[in-house]
Amino acid sequence: MAAQCRPLCMPMALMSAPWPTGETEQASIVVYAEVTEYIKSHPKFPQRHFELRQLLREIYPYFLTYSILDRYADIRRSVRPPYGKGLIGDMDILIATTALERTLLFLQQTATLNESPN
């Protein structure tokens, strides 16, 4: 089975070595879309997709809410020109906003999120 990570994960972290914590695993539902996009090019996609769905039985998904989307809009506006460099992708902003709204630890794989103003 694919790995677990605590509590909000990016695609490669989900598919790498296990991170046992004994706590309930949590992730933005947007991560599911990113992982699915990533594994669609894998030659064993049906197997990997099945493993992902099995993993999701153990991970609590945070769905998008109005408060998350309102905060997303504020953050997105602050990182786009002329206010910011525009280096952070929309999906990453949605995932990060979910973490901020739900007071979760945010695990990332890209350095650009370190430039987030909030």
Side-chain angles (χ1 to χ4, degrees), residues 7-21:
L8 192 70
C9 311
M10 293 300 289
M12 291 303 292
L14 271 174
M15 305 310 283
S16 63
W19 294 23
T21 65

Side-chain angles (χ1 to χ4, degrees), residues 86-110:
L87 299 176
I88 305 171
D90 292 338
M91 295 294 259
D92 291 334
I93 295 171
L94 275 173
I95 293 167
T97 303
T98 301
L100 291 169
E101 280 292 304
R102 299 292 179 233
T103 317
L104 303 172
L105 172 67
F106 180 72
L107 301 177
Q108 66 185 33
Q109 284 195 300
T110 60

Side-chain angles (χ1 to χ4, degrees), residues 37-93:
E37 175 190 8
Y38 174 77
I39 64 175
K40 279 200 176 237
S41 62
H42 195 279
K44 295 182 180 179
F45 170 71
Q47 177 185 341
R48 296 291 183 236
H49 192 248
F50 174 78
E51 291 169 351
L52 174 61
R53 297 297 296 260
Q54 293 297 108
L55 173 64
L56 291 177
R57 292 179 175 185
E58 302 172 26
I59 295 177
Y60 177 82
Y62 281 100
F63 294 95
L64 299 178
T65 63
Y66 288 118
S67 65
I68 290 170
L69 296 174
D70 288 342
R71 192 163 186 179
Y72 159 81
D74 292 338
I75 293 172
R76 186 169 187 267
R77 287 175 48 87
S78 72
V79 299
R80 298 285 186 241
Y83 307 107
K85 297 178 183 177
L87 299 176
I88 305 171
D90 292 338
M91 295 294 259
D92 291 334
I93 295 171

